[in-house]
Amino acid sequence: MLIKDKKIAIVGGGPGGLTLARLLQMKGADVKVYERDANRNVRVQGATLDLHLESGLRALEEAGLMNAFKANYRPGADRIRVLDEHAKIFYDQHAGESIEAFGEEWFRPEIDRGPLREILLDSLQADTVVWDSHILSLEPIANTWKLVFQNGNIAIADIVIGADGANSKIRPFITPIKPFYSGITALEGNVYDSAKNAPKIHELLKGGKIFAFGDAKTLIVSAKGDGSLAFYTGCKMDATWVKDSGIDFTDNKQVLDWFKNEYAAWDAIWQELFEYDKGYFIPRPLYCMPLDQTWDAKANITMLGDAAHLMPPYAGEGVNMAMLDAVELSEALTTSAYPTIQSAIAHYEKQMCLRFAEVAQETLNNTDWMHSPNGLQIMLDMFNEIPS
Ligand SMILES: Cc1cc2nc3c(=O)[nH]c(=O)nc-3n(C[C@H](O)[C@H](O)[C@H](O)COP(=O)(O)OP(=O)(O)OC[C@H]3O[C@@H](n4cnc5c(N)ncnc54)[C@H](O)[C@@H]3O)c2cc1C
């Protein structure tokens, strides 16, 4: 095996990095995951994830983790309601029983990010993840890499894999290609105990997902298993809006004022999400890697997930693609098909970039129409539910 006796450093313990660690360990590889979070108990933020048959679910299958997934996914959480800005429901998947249809292409079961991370962490050998390892830089030393961490620690590895997300510190060692701004900035937020703290939206949400459209803006809300809800707004903004707006995003009064103004055409019911003052807000200008990106494969360093192919979230593919990358990279590194690690990496990166170009095109198309005046209608057409 190409990676026999090689020390592999995966930088970043998100869904992509942890899935890769699991798949490589199943083949006997020597793997460490360097993760900046202080420990495994750090609360995992963000909305729920729907996993797709050909990518996220396939990765879990190959990792031998489908039973763990089935014990932790949230039946019914995939049910969607499509609303307009006045909170009028135009399309509703809540009628009927929840059907467990694993193996069907259309079945996209939901899991919260926290439980998914737990499943992956529990599948790894003890001490695989080195917590509190915020990487600062890499230095090539002969045929190895020296990893330098913020806490003063260092590590040496034969192969480095960047799984450190959107602002990857590893990516510049592979390519200088930078992402471009999609034109949309999201504002991510959450409400703990939504039944108590945002009762009207909680009622509308019914344990599932809301996609709301109006005035060329979006609001996507998901119920989480711990009784909280997560949401993100989406509007056309300048790339520098977060800084230029002068808003202190830790001050929910300022954020509420912004929402009332920016979403003035929307019903006051939505303001419930911003009136709750114990959550958090994270503004996210949404970037995308160039669709035609390619580079020459390096001898002993590569990347996966958002580090490799960041894109806006409007096709729900980011985690799914990161987990599929893990499957394909682990296969390339552990088969006997390639004479060198560099040629295995080249094969993986070529198919990863081709797949990304296709998925990113769909994502950018979605990003565009969802933030157009016809967003609601196009979404309804997609569900084949045109209102009369
Ligand atoms: C608002 C929003 C909604 C989304 N909704 C969906 C969805 O519904 N479905 C979907 O599939 N995708 C969705 N995505 C995209 C998805 O979150 C990402 O594509 C996915 O998390 C990428 O996985 P990853 O493992 O590559 O990176 P990440 O999940 O970003 O993980 C990177 C890991 O690296 C660690 N790290 C970062 N920097 C360093 C460093 N310097 N040193 C060490 N460790 C580091 C981080 O702490 C983290 O644990 C959404 C994204 C956003 C912004």
Side-chain angles (χ1 to χ4, degrees):
M1 187 166 66
L2 285 171
I3 53 174
K4 188 168 180 301
D5 300 328
K6 301 285 185 202
K7 281 191 189 312
I8 301 177
I10 299 173
V11 179
L18 294 178
T19 305
L20 179 67
R22 164 69 176 171
L23 292 167
L24 289 176
Q25 281 188 344
M26 288 170 83
K27 298 282 170 114
D30 177 355
V31 184
K32 288 279 183 214
V33 177
Y34 296 96
E35 166 56 45
R36 74 177 166 192
D37 281 353
N39 55 59
R40 71 181 282 165
N41 302 320
V42 169
R43 188 189 277 271
V44 182
Q45 297 178 335
T48 65
L49 303 163
D50 58 311
L51 297 192
H52 305 174
L53 182 67
E54 70 289 354
S55 45
L57 292 175
R58 174 177 162 203
L60 289 174
E61 191 73 64
E62 305 224 359
L65 298 173
M66 271 312 281
N67 285 342
F69 176 78
K70 286 178 182 173
N72 284 279
Y73 89 105
R74 294 182 36 241
D78 53 331
R79 292 182 179 195
I80 291 171
R81 279 181 157 174
V82 180
L83 283 71
D84 71 0
E85 69 269 40
H86 307 298
K88 181 175 172 197
I89 300 170
F90 283 83
Y91 175 71
D92 190 358
Q93 291 183 335
H94 283 275
E97 290 297 299
S98 176
I99 300 167
E100 188 178 275
F102 284 96
E104 297 284 349
E105 198 189 336
W106 52 265
F107 184 56
R108 295 182 159 187
E110 294 273 342
I111 189 163
D112 291 359
R113 284 172 194 258
L116 178 62
R117 192 183 220 190
E118 290 293 313
I119 290 170
L120 291 167
L121 286 172
D122 287 346
S123 75
L124 299 176
Q125 291 160 17
D127 301 327
T128 301
V129 180
V130 188
W131 298 99
D132 189 22
S133 298
H134 188 142
I135 197 163
L136 288 182
S137 69
L138 279 179
E139 288 169 29
I141 299 182
N143 295 326
T144 66
W145 291 98
K146 178 176 163 191
L147 293 83
V148 181
F149 299 100
Q150 203 169 45
N151 61 9
N153 289 347
I154 59 158
I156 302 290
D158 299 297
I159 302 172
V160 169
I161 296 159
D164 51 340
N167 300 308
S168 173
K169 293 280 193 327
I170 306 303
R171 183 178 168 96
F173 290 86
I174 299 166
T175 175
I177 300 171
K178 293 201 166 25
F180 65 91
Y181 179 55
S182 70
I184 302 297
T185 292
L187 180 64
E188 191 181 319
N190 78 313
V191 179
Y192 296 117
D193 193 358
S194 58
K196 181 166 152 238
N197 296 314
K200 291 183 198 141
I201 301 292
H202 177 87
E203 187 66 27
L204 269 179
L205 197 53
K206 245 184 145 181
K209 288 198 162 194
I210 286 175
F211 286 82
F213 299 86
D215 195 23
K217 299 177 173 67
T218 56
L219 180 56
I220 298 173
V221 192
S222 348
K224 294 179 71 173
D226 62 359
S228 66
L229 63 76
F231 64 90
Y232 56 102
T233 60
C235 328
K236 285 189 185 126
M237 298 289 192
D238 290 341
T240 54
W241 171 74
V242 174
K243 189 160 59 71
D244 296 347
S245 71
I247 297 170
D248 173 359
F249 290 93
T250 62
D251 178 349
N252 89 306
K253 169 81 173 62
Q254 288 189 38
V255 180
L256 174 63
D257 286 346
W258 164 77
F259 181 74
K260 282 181 177 170
N261 186 42
E262 188 68 34
Y263 281 67
W266 287 52
D267 192 275
I269 188 174
W270 303 108
Q271 290 168 21
E272 234 183 35
L273 296 170
F274 296 83
E275 281 158 359
Y276 173 66
D277 62 358
K278 296 191 178 58
Y280 64 85
F281 293 106
I282 306 174
R284 295 191 190 276
L286 299 173
Y287 282 79
C288 188
M289 295 300 176
L291 274 57
D292 60 354
Q293 62 171 358
T294 58
W295 54 84
D296 291 333
K298 301 282 183 291
N300 56 358
I301 183 167
T302 185
M303 59 187 163
L304 56 64
D306 277 8
H309 46 63
L310 178 67
M311 57 186 136
Y314 297 107
E317 288 285 6
V319 165
N320 285 285
M321 288 299 105
M323 293 173 77
L324 184 54
D325 291 345
V327 170
E328 293 181 350
L329 179 55
S330 68
E331 277 171 6
L333 290 173
T334 57
T335 102
S336 53
Y338 306 104
T340 60
I341 290 170
Q342 187 166 16
S343 58
I345 289 175
H347 171 82
Y348 154 73
E349 289 180 345
K350 188 172 175 207
Q351 62 184 15
M352 182 261 288
C353 284
L354 287 172
R355 172 161 49 78
F356 159 68
E358 226 172 272
V359 171
Q361 188 58 63
E362 184 198 342
T363 298
L364 291 176
N365 292 345
N366 290 355
T367 305
D368 192 42
W369 65 253
M370 288 173 91
H371 300 93
S372 76
N374 298 328
L376 173 66
Q377 190 60 49
I378 297 171
M379 186 73 162
L380 294 172
D381 289 349
M382 272 182 47
F383 284 115
N384 206 14
E385 287 272 340
I386 304 159
S388 52

